[in-house]
């Protein structure tokens, strides 16, 4: 099958030295805004990834209030740290959108973590793409179409890879089926970071 035009995969976008610098920047973010355990709306079932954010807004989820963007960390109640410059440069280079990202969601996957098939649909402006960066161990990614049961394409995302969901793929279902432990030495502890840059509000609104 063919994947829609708005899906772009940029393997090896970040070279190894740039990946190391990016991980250092993410560790600084986490020192200020610790990874927390997100929970699904209504059921309160804990997700297997650990989350935090940087940017003026962060995506959060908990049992009581569900999926949303907010300006402060749900545990520390402090504003999120700034988005690292290398990620703002990435957005400028690949997003094709005239305003900067407002949120960068940071997901940490241990070897057992996964991410069920979902759409990123809590933003106000779907004209902006979502841009993702993988760091650390490889993971098996799937992307389908706007319907949950549309046919899916699977691919391995490796450290340094960038994926863009824009245009007709902006609301495509996607997720992480499984981690491939021991495939990268970037993170001493193993596992994987996935960073997703988002524009949440319409510029000028
Ligand atoms: C992941 N990625 O790679 C999960 N979302 O761990 C995403 O959920 C994602 O890769 C929006 C755009 C690109 C993505
Ligand atoms: Fe997503």
């Amino acid at each position: 099958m063919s994947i829609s035009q708005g899906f772009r995969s940029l393997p090896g976008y970040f070279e190894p030295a740039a990946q190391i610098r990016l991980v250092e920047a993410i560790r600084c973010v986490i020192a200020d805004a610790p990874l927390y355990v997100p929970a699904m709306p209504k059921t309160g079932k804990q997700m297997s990834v650990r989350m935090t954010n940087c940017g003026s807004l962060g995506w959060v989820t908990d049992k009581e209030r569900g999926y949303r963007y907010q300006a402060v960390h749900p545990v520390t109640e402090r504003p999120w740290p700034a988005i690292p410059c290398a990620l703002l440069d990435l957005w400028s280079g690949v997003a094709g959108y005239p305003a900067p990202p407002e949120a960068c969601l940071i997901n940490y996957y241990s070897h057992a973590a996964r991410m069920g098939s979902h759409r990123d649909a809590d933003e106000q402006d779907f004209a902006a793409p979502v841009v993702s960066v993988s760091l650390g161990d490889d993971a098996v990614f799937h992307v389908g179409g706007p319907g949950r049961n549309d046919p899916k394409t699977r691919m391995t995302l490796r450290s340094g890879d960038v994926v863009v969901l824009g245009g007709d793929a902006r609301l495509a279902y996607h997720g992480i089926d499984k981690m491939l432990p021991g495939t990268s030495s970037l993170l001493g502890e193993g596992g994987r970071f996935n960073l997703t840059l988002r524009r949440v509000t319409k510029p000028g609104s």
Side-chain angles (χ1 to χ4, degrees), residues 105 107 115 118-120 130 141 165 172 174-175 194 196 198:
L105 173 64
N107 285 160
M115 177 69 71
H118 67 278
R119 305 193 300 172
D120 290 41
V130 178
F141 177 77
L165 293 187
H174 59 277
N194 179 252
T196 42
R198 298 106 185 279

Side-chain angles (χ1 to χ4, degrees), residues 79-139:
W80 305 104
I83 298 176
C85 295
L87 295 174
L88 298 176
D89 291 347
L90 166 66
W91 179 272
S92 301
V94 305
Y97 187 78
E102 294 169 296
C104 176
L105 173 64
I106 299 169
N107 285 160
Y108 175 71
Y109 293 74
S110 64
H111 290 161
R114 54 186 293 280
M115 177 69 71
S117 209
H118 67 278
R119 305 193 300 172
D120 290 41
D122 299 313
E123 300 73 30
Q124 289 162 22
D125 192 359
F126 298 137
V130 178
V131 176
S132 111
V133 183
S134 295
L135 294 167
D137 283 335
D138 298 355

